[in-house]
Amino acid sequence: MTAKHVNVTLKLTPERSLIHPTQCFRYVDAFLHVDAVSQPSKLDRLPLTLALVLDRSGSMQGEKVETAKKAVLAVLERLEERDQAAIVIFDDRIDVLQSAGHVTQAFKSQARAAVSRVEARANTALHEGWLTGCKAIAPEHTGGNNGVTRCFLLTDGLANVGVTDPEQIAGEAAGIREHTGISTSTFGIGDDYNESLLAPMAVAGGGQFHHLRTANEIMNTFVGELGDLLAVAARQVRLELEAEAGMSADVVSTYWTSATQPGGTSWSVAIGDLLGGDERHVVVRFGFPDQQGQASRTIRARLVWTDEEGEHTAPWQELRFTYATPEACEAEQPNPEVLAVAGKHTSSKAQMEALRLNRAGDFAGANQVMAQATSAVASYAAYAPELEAEVAEMDELTQNVSNAPAAPAYSKERMYQKQNVTRGQKDKRTQPPEKK
């Protein structure tokens, strides 16, 4: 098989290029595009290493666990001998049903027999179950490959055994992705799981978060994401940012961001695995210090990604911002396309944070987050009229989170939709899986 080079391009567009002589903020839209590639044939696609981690706690009893079992087996049926897989089940006890191995006919037969015996039981050791799945497909157990490696975590409940803190678990997901290349996708079933855990966990893990409401959605989404993994063109894509001393950067879009040097002037933004033809907007809000005799400030960015040829690092691109009088800054017309994207991502970020605060019982905090964001997005609508609909949506959410707990189904669906907006992800719930 001949190694293929995949080209990923970056375009930086500022909201404005002039900056106030005193503290000032400007949005930059970092637009990523993966060149279209020919659809990989069964012979030349990348191998896949997959951990399937299935919740068997008591709340999964009945149709949910039976559908989840069918989805696991449907995924395995679509894999081939070049692929590797492991199956882990958990309640308050963790069992490795199938250790990592190549997906031969014998592997599939053993998996069918093992999965058929799974029954819903006790509590939910979500963290340990997920971690066991990641360990099962770690390079030391699979031999490593140049393909795609991911853990699918499917659950309907709350983490109530072992580690349960969402921030700690998300941090671990990021660490596993960074050090082993294993990404994580989360699949929440029904109305009882914690979306404030599963959504950030998928962001940190470089995968996708899915809110599943019916048995058909479980099957469609599980197999739908597998289809994407089999067509990944650029792996472990990240956006690297650098700014001058005294500047700040707030990544508004929903991506895991980490400082890469002491002093806070460089950052790495984990975009994840992308398909040929994929496009992503990453909105960054840069803060500029007082002028202090300098004429301008510069930020720069570049992309890093991996394909079949290995890791690629694109050249740095620069944007220069020039200090000007307040009158000149006010006279400069902003880029309406950048403000439109920034407004949508600002709205989505605020809505997700307000939903998290509402779930925690902090209704005043949720109201404050929405009030500040709504005011900002409404001001952008003067230049980007399409944001008027966004403001109306924000007003509607404010009514649902400011005084009482939001309905679980409402909260989860809105969290899912807003995360999709800022990460450029598609809803796979209504797409029937393709037949093999």
Side-chain angles (χ1 to χ4, degrees):
M1 180 173 70
T2 303
K4 294 181 179 178
H5 173 70
V6 176
N7 193 41
V8 188
T9 58
L10 172 66
K11 179 182 179 182
L12 300 176
T13 308
E15 161 203 348
R16 295 176 173 90
S17 295
L18 299 181
I19 48 178
H20 287 262
T22 54
Q23 192 175 33
C24 179
F25 295 91
R26 291 288 183 257
Y27 288 112
V28 172
D29 176 23
F31 176 68
L32 288 68
H33 174 77
V34 184
D35 284 357
V37 295
S38 58
Q39 186 69 21
S41 69
K42 289 186 177 181
L43 294 176
D44 65 7
R45 70 163 176 82
L46 292 170
L48 175 64
T49 302
L50 190 63
L52 301 166
V53 181
L54 174 62
D55 184 352
R56 62 161 174 199
S57 59
S59 57
M60 288 286 290
Q61 187 71 42
E63 183 182 31
K64 283 191 285 190
V65 73
E66 292 304 318
T67 303
K69 288 158 61 175
K70 291 177 182 176
V72 167
L73 294 177
V75 165
L76 289 178
E77 283 302 314
R78 287 162 170 78
L79 299 181
E80 301 173 350
E81 289 192 19
R82 83 189 81 176
D83 305 309
Q84 296 188 68
I87 306 174
V88 174
I89 57 173
F90 69 92
D91 49 354
D92 54 358
R93 191 181 78 191
I94 316 300
D95 289 319
V96 180
L97 285 189
Q98 289 282 121
S99 298
H102 287 278
V103 187
T104 62
Q105 289 303 316
F107 183 100
K108 293 178 181 180
S109 178
Q110 294 168 4
R112 282 193 292 269
V115 170
S116 69
R117 296 190 292 270
V118 173
E119 295 181 352
R121 304 189 336 163
N123 292 319
T124 311
L126 183 151
H127 169 264
E128 188 62 28
W130 160 74
L131 193 60
T132 300
C134 291
K135 290 178 179 178
I137 58 171
E140 59 264 31
H141 299 304
T142 61
N145 59 51
N146 66 342
V148 181
T149 307
R150 185 163 297 187
C151 179
F152 281 10
L153 170 64
L154 189 147
T155 181
D156 77 330
L158 304 174
N160 53 25
V161 175
V163 178
T164 61
D165 179 64
E167 186 173 346
Q168 180 179 345
I169 295 174
E172 288 190 33
I176 287 173
R177 171 184 51 76
E178 291 169 359
H179 295 109
T180 70
I182 299 171
S183 54
T184 296
S185 285
T186 58
F187 301 76
I189 307 172
D191 294 336
D192 296 325
Y193 71 87
N194 184 359
E195 65 275 17
S196 295
L197 166 61
L198 294 192
M201 190 177 177
V203 171
Q208 297 189 29
F209 159 60
H210 304 278
H211 169 50
L212 309 177
R213 301 163 294 189
T214 67
N216 282 341
E217 290 183 355
I218 296 173
M219 180 68 74
N220 290 350
T221 306
F222 227 57
V223 177
E225 178 154 342
L226 172 67
D228 282 355
L229 293 182
L230 295 175
V232 165
R235 288 173 283 140
Q236 300 291 320
V237 180
R238 69 180 187 270
L239 172 68
E240 296 186 343
L241 303 169
E242 286 191 355
E244 296 180 21
M247 294 179 60
S248 64
D250 175 27
V251 178
V252 179
S253 308
T254 312
Y255 293 100
W256 185 265
T257 304
S258 54
T260 55
Q261 290 181 1
T265 58
S266 61
W267 304 266
S268 177
V269 184
I271 308 301
D273 300 325
L274 299 178
L275 312 184
D278 271 354
E279 297 179 343
R280 297 288 186 271
H281 289 272
V282 182
V283 176
V284 187
R285 185 173 183 257
F286 286 97
F288 299 87
D290 293 351
Q291 185 171 1
Q292 297 178 340
Q294 287 193 242
S296 63
R297 296 279 180 171
T298 300
I299 64 102
R300 62 179 191 163
R302 69 179 179 183
L303 292 174
V304 181
W305 71 95
T306 300
D307 60 19
E308 293 178 41
E309 291 185 346
E311 186 174 86
H312 302 273
T313 302
W316 288 103
Q317 297 185 32
E318 291 190 350
L319 283 181
R320 184 175 297 276
F321 295 82
T322 304
Y323 285 104
T325 65
E327 294 77 16
C329 290
E330 293 302 318
E332 183 186 18
Q333 290 298 302
N335 185 310
E337 294 180 356
V338 173
L339 283 186
V341 175
K344 290 177 182 178
H345 288 213
T346 298
S347 168
S348 294
K349 182 176 184 178
Q351 290 187 50
M352 288 187 287
E353 176 62 10
L355 289 166
R356 185 192 67 80
L357 291 170
N358 176 270
R359 183 183 180 92
D362 186 358
F363 308 132
N367 183 67
Q368 182 179 13
V369 165
M370 291 307 302
Q372 292 175 346
T374 302
S375 176
V377 175
S379 69
Y380 309 153
Y383 303 97
E386 60 265 44
L387 290 177
E388 293 176 2
E390 197 73 31
V391 172
E393 182 183 275
M394 296 173 77
D395 288 338
E396 177 265 327
L397 181 125
T398 301
Q399 296 300 314
N400 281 279
V401 300
S402 296
N403 301 300
Y410 173 89
S411 181
K412 289 169 173 57
E413 180 65 18
R414 184 61 67 89
M415 182 80 77
Y416 171 66
Q417 295 292 349
K418 293 297 102 180
Q419 186 150 302
N420 280 356
V421 167
T422 62
R423 291 177 64 82
Q425 296 173 177
K426 297 177 181 177
D427 188 339
K428 296 180 173 60
R429 296 178 296 185
T430 59
Q431 299 174 359
E434 295 181 3
K435 294 183 178 180
K436 189 178 178 183

